[in-house]
Amino acid sequence: MQVKPGAPNKESLEAQYSGMKGKRETFLSRAKYLTKLTLPALFTDSSDTFDQGQGYTQNGWQSLGAQGHTHLANKLTQTWFPPQRNFFKLTFTDEMKEALFKEGIKEVDLMQQLAAAEQRAQLYHTQAQGYLAWVSAAEHLIGSGNAMLYIPPGEDNVVCYPMDRYVVSRSKSGKVLKMILEEEKSIGEFDPAVQAIIKAKRYGCKKSDVIPVYTCMKWDGVEKKYIIWSEVVEVKIGQTFKVTEANNPFIILVWKRLYGEAYGRGLLEVIAGDLFVYQFLSKAIAKGCALMSEVKFLVRRGSATSPEQHAKAESGEYLYGEENDIHVVQLDKYADYQTVSSVMEIYARRIGQAFLMGSATRRDAERVTTVEIRQDAMELETTLGGTYSQIAVNGQLPYARILLRRTKFKIGERDVVPVIVTGIEALGKAGELDKLVQFSEMMSIPNNWSESAQGRIKWSDYMTMIASNLNMDTPWLMTEEEYSKKVQAENERQQQQAMQEAIGKAAPQMMKE
């Protein structure tokens, strides 16, 4: 049973939450309407948290929207978090690189330590079921344009909150100024001291009863930190935390946000027209086919054929009557429904392209080359390029910092920073290897030039130019000074070897003489 509170104090988080719900309602109601065309279970109309099956969770007259919605959510998550490699890499800041150079420490020698830290963070991401939380977040971002991730202190799990569970206010530039989260917990989950406070405020409640818990995150412009605290029955519980923007445990995500708005807008808002038309035509086709499948007989009045005899007659039996005594009533709309089906195919293709479904991006032909499929997929994925960049900055980067803190990464943020290496190409460690392959290909190009042209190449400058254009770090390349010393040492070694060989050949001759 849910405990119903009385009139809340105007200064309490519960009252502030109720006051901020009004600005969220427009976005929330639109999100509920749109997700009914794809995944209605994301938002339910049931007021009982423990009986959400009461909500409207049917996909209407078609399932293409649900397939596309789920497909794109998984595709996005696999792009953000490639299963075969890390979604971020650690790199030294310019100041740290300069300090290491002065100390004579090579950056390459410390890369193994950074790689080990990346692996620990990736392992924690797997243990905390972060991938599942990000899939849920992607579904909500596509549907409503809003989602929030949170890793509770002392717990190893990532929680995804839909937009109907929190309210937020932002500055005009988009910075989060205040967020209030509403959760529901049974009274037995709290500490005995908190249970005593709840029972004093809510007389007659039981441990199994559910009560709302409100958590606020508010920006303090003076200290440049977020203040986080929780309240139950208008009483502050637990500790009050002050965290920097980089250490904020709440990751508030949006798909696309317009200037001045506190909440985001999802992809479904862009393709709502196509989804509505496809649903409408699917309903028409379903009802029309049901009508066409009905078999009814029309009996001519005064006919010699009896309807009862006609119904009881076996196949091949004789009946008295004329040819037109009994007539089959049919709905002659087959040609019309063929037109509707062809129109539905057009809308299905448009919806499939919006959801990046591979089957909808291929041309209708007997033979489709791999290059065509790759080009179509790349062309469609570029339409979500802004989303990749926005999520990388506002979602993946804070998430990487949280993982590093949870795995007790000790190097300071001024020395090492995480860099998100994901997006359309899902760049990671393999992405760096791809750059190396491109570098090798570019280095082999001058081999096809004439000898006179090859003799005029400044190879060090050529390698530097190729690496710069590929945005590639080359700590493993020798400097001019190191290369000159190596060449000089190699020449000296060859001279000494030649002298030793000459002495070895001359010694027997001298002994004969």
Side-chain angles (χ1 to χ4, degrees), residues 238-257:
Q239 299 179 352
T240 299
F241 300 94
K242 293 184 179 181
V243 297
T244 61
E245 190 171 4
N247 296 329
N248 187 4
F250 292 97
I251 304 176
I252 303 176
L253 304 170
V254 294
W255 181 270
K256 182 180 180 181
R257 191 188 64 85

Side-chain angles (χ1 to χ4, degrees), residues 438-464:
Q438 297 180 42
F439 181 82
S440 301
E441 292 176 352
M442 298 301 294
M443 291 301 300
S444 64
I445 290 178
N447 294 333
N448 299 323
W449 298 354
S450 62
E451 294 183 1
S452 58
Q454 293 184 30
R456 299 177 66 89
I457 294 178
K458 297 180 179 179
W459 288 103
S460 60
D461 294 342
Y462 180 77
M463 288 188 291
T464 303

Side-chain angles (χ1 to χ4, degrees), residues 282-354:
S282 298
K283 182 179 180 180
I285 286 285
K287 287 191 171 184
C289 291
L291 291 174
M292 287 190 294
S293 65
E294 292 185 359
V295 179
K296 293 182 179 180
F297 298 95
L298 184 63
V299 182
R300 184 172 59 85
R301 185 175 299 176
S303 65
T305 306
S306 171
E308 291 78 7
Q309 292 177 353
H310 180 271
K312 295 179 180 180
E314 297 291 339
S315 176
E317 289 188 7
Y318 295 95
L319 295 175
Y320 289 99
E322 297 181 4
E323 183 178 355
N324 295 325
D325 284 348
I326 296 179
H327 175 69
V328 179
V329 180
Q330 293 182 343
L331 186 64
D332 297 329
K333 289 289 185 180
Y334 181 76
D336 296 337
Y337 283 104
Q338 286 293 103
T339 304
V340 175
S341 298
S342 62
V343 174
M344 286 186 63
E345 291 179 1
I346 297 175
Y347 277 92
R349 181 178 180 84
R350 290 166 60 171
I351 294 172
Q353 289 176 345

Side-chain angles (χ1 to χ4, degrees), residues 1-3 44 46-55 165 183-187 189 207-212:
M1 183 182 69
Q2 186 175 9
V3 179
T44 61
S46 175
S47 59
D48 191 347
T49 305
F50 292 98
D51 192 16
Q52 294 189 1
Q54 298 288 337
R165 282 296 170 186
E183 297 180 278
E184 292 177 340
K185 295 182 179 181
S186 60
I187 298 177
E189 296 182 52
K207 286 187 176 182
S208 60
D209 292 341
V210 176
I211 195 166

Side-chain angles (χ1 to χ4, degrees), residues 149-269:
L149 295 173
Y150 175 58
I151 304 181
E155 299 183 19
D156 295 335
N157 66 301
V158 186
V159 184
C160 175
Y161 292 104
M163 69 176 298
D164 60 349
R165 282 296 170 186
Y166 65 93
V167 292
V168 64
S169 64
R170 299 176 183 268
S171 63
K172 295 297 181 181
S173 61
K175 182 181 181 62
V176 177
L177 301 178
K178 181 192 290 186
M179 185 281 302
I180 301 178
L181 170 67
E182 182 187 44
E183 297 180 278
E184 292 177 340
K185 295 182 179 181
S186 60
I187 298 177
E189 296 182 52
F190 295 97
D191 295 335
V194 179
Q195 293 184 29
I197 296 174
I198 296 174
K199 291 179 179 179
K201 288 274 188 174
R202 303 284 190 267
Y203 179 75
C205 61
K206 302 177 182 178
K207 286 187 176 182
S208 60
D209 292 341
V210 176
I211 195 166
V213 181
Y214 296 92
T215 302
C216 182
M217 179 192 73
K218 187 176 182 180
W219 175 252
D220 188 345
V222 178
E223 297 188 18
K224 303 298 181 183
K225 292 183 178 180
Y226 281 107
I227 304 175
I228 302 174
W229 75 96
S230 299
E231 288 185 7
V232 175
V233 293
E234 302 178 1
V235 176
K236 186 180 296 187
I237 61 172
Q239 299 179 352
T240 299
F241 300 94
K242 293 184 179 181
V243 297
T244 61
E245 190 171 4
N247 296 329
N248 187 4
F250 292 97
I251 304 176
I252 303 176
L253 304 170
V254 294
W255 181 270
K256 182 180 180 181
R257 191 188 64 85
L258 301 181
Y259 176 78
E261 293 183 347
Y263 299 92
R265 299 170 181 264
L267 177 65
L268 296 189
E269 187 170 337

Side-chain angles (χ1 to χ4, degrees), residues 88-101 103 105-118 404 409-420 429 473 475:
F88 73 96
K89 68 174 182 178
L90 294 172
T91 181
F92 292 102
T93 61
D94 294 338
E95 293 79 5
M96 187 61 179
K97 289 181 180 179
E98 185 178 356
L100 292 174
F101 180 77
E103 293 293 332
I105 303 175
K106 294 183 179 180
E107 181 183 352
V108 180
D109 297 336
L110 300 179
M111 283 185 177
Q112 292 183 350
Q113 299 182 16
L114 299 183
E118 295 170 9
L404 290 172
F409 183 65
K410 297 182 179 180
I411 301 180
E413 294 183 356
R414 296 182 179 180
D415 302 328
V416 178
V417 293
V419 178
I420 304 301
K429 291 298 184 182
D473 294 331

